[in-house]
Amino acid sequence: HMLVAASLRHARRAVSVARVERRFMSQRTVVLKFGGSSVGSAKALASTADALINRHAANERVVAVLSAMYGVTNKLVGSVNAAVTGDEAAIKEYRTALWSLHEDTCKELLSNDGANSVLGFLEASLAKDFDQRLKSISEKGAFDDWDMDVVSCLGERYSTRILAQHIRERNLQSEAVQADTIITTDGVPGDSSCDLPATRKRIGPLAKMLDDRVLPCVTGFLGLAPDGRVTTFGRGGSDVTATVLANVLNAQEVCLMKVECTDKNGRMVGWEQAGS
């Protein structure tokens, strides 16, 4: 009787494991990248969240890759250039614009507690990665490529925090994931390529989130060099991030949302046609 009971327990466990394996096998992994226009305001972020939540509800393993809010990267790059010439007025103007955009978005989109949490992160980040970095650049009268990479990717770090918080407030588990914790680059500042073998070795935490039905919001545009410094893929780099993640996660679909570059039917068109 004891042998029969043990055999039944093993059989039940095997069936349970098989069901879990079939469930994960049946779930499609999709990577959805959203550009600056898709995350450029509270309304746009809410619509992006709608799309992500709907895909997640369809029993898909969903990864969101985000650009910075529309216009933010240009302001960050402008700040670095202003620091070189010691233009304190321009730096202050850029910083005020960056803070106001994110503050207004948080207050419109998030609960009071959620907004305070995200804005606390932004405040600390701006003090460390913006103010201190630009002060150093002003003192040197020049910037190196790594200075530009650190500052120019801040927008992606902020947009992912806001969207992940919003999704959590809609009762779905979500986490902001900094791409430099999972993606390894070749270390070329400003124009990196991805080291796919190294990235595959680091992708475990992101894959576990998907297994746990968490919806990760990943920063586009950036990764970590072998020497531990942050580097970026250059303009349009969030598209690279999305395709890299689709590759290492063996995703069935990768979709690059280009709101500002589609015709009325949603088809990709050239930039010169997008405004017509």
Side-chain angles (χ1 to χ4, degrees):
H1 291 298
M2 291 177 64
L3 287 173
V4 170
S7 296
L8 285 172
R9 282 197 301 272
H10 287 305
R12 291 193 189 103
R13 190 176 299 121
V15 169
S16 176
V17 170
R19 285 174 179 163
V20 171
E21 288 177 346
R22 280 199 301 274
R23 178 166 66 87
F24 285 130
M25 288 175 64
S26 67
Q27 288 179 332
R28 300 174 73 249
T29 299
V30 298
V31 179
L32 307 178
K33 178 263 177 179
F34 295 88
S37 295
S38 297
V39 298
S41 66
K43 182 178 179 180
L45 282 160
S47 295
T48 292
D50 289 341
L52 292 166
I53 291 168
N54 288 339
R55 295 296 295 262
H56 188 274
N59 202 37
E60 292 181 320
R61 294 152 52 91
V62 181
V63 179
V65 174
L66 305 185
S67 295
M69 295 181 73
Y70 185 79
V72 164
T73 303
N74 286 342
K75 291 180 175 65
L76 292 166
V77 171
S79 300
V80 172
N81 290 326
V84 173
T85 60
D87 190 342
E88 295 295 330
I91 293 172
K92 183 177 180 180
E93 184 176 340
Y94 281 126
R95 194 191 197 283
T96 299
L98 289 165
W99 177 260
S100 296
L101 173 62
H102 292 94
E103 181 184 39
D104 292 347
T105 300
C106 286
K107 289 184 174 180
E108 182 178 346
L109 187 66
L110 306 177
S111 66
N112 287 338
D113 287 346
N116 288 337
S117 174
V118 173
L119 290 173
F121 168 81
L122 263 66
E123 188 172 29
S125 172
L126 283 171
K128 177 178 181 290
D129 298 318
F130 185 86
D131 296 340
Q132 290 184 19
R133 181 74 58 164
L134 295 189
K135 181 180 179 182
S136 173
I137 292 170
S138 293
E139 290 172 350
K140 294 184 296 185
F143 67 87
D144 60 35
D145 292 329
W146 289 278
D147 287 327
M148 181 63 83
D149 278 354
V150 168
V151 176
S152 65
C153 72
L154 292 178
E156 283 76 11
R157 298 191 189 278
Y158 302 162
S159 62
T160 52
R161 288 271 177 169
I162 296 171
L163 185 60
Q165 179 64 37
H166 175 62
I167 292 173
R168 286 195 296 272
E169 292 183 5
R170 293 174 63 172
N171 299 314
L172 178 62
Q173 285 184 290
S174 182
E175 294 292 339
V177 178
Q178 307 304 306
D180 46 324
T181 66
I182 55 174
I183 291 178
T184 300
T185 73
D186 61 2
V188 177
D191 190 26
S192 286
S193 296
C194 177
D195 183 335
L196 281 173
T199 299
R200 286 194 180 94
K201 293 178 181 178
R202 302 177 69 202
I203 205 66
L206 184 66
K208 187 177 186 307
M209 285 186 190
L210 297 177
D211 290 345
D212 293 340
R213 298 296 287 154
V214 175
L215 200 164
C217 296
V218 184
T219 55
F221 187 46
L222 64 115
L224 193 72
D227 64 3
R229 288 192 281 194
V230 170
T231 63
T232 67
F233 296 119
R235 286 306 183 114
S238 293
D239 293 355
V240 176
T241 304
T243 54
V244 163
L245 293 180
N247 182 302
V248 297
L249 291 168
N250 297 314
Q252 284 71 48
E253 178 184 347
V254 57
C255 187
L256 310 177
M257 309 296 185
K258 298 285 187 177
V259 174
E260 70 275 30
C261 191
T262 57
D263 66 13
K264 64 182 179 180
N265 296 312
R267 295 181 298 237
M268 287 289 295
V269 295
W271 290 108
E272 68 279 1
Q273 299 171 266
S276 61

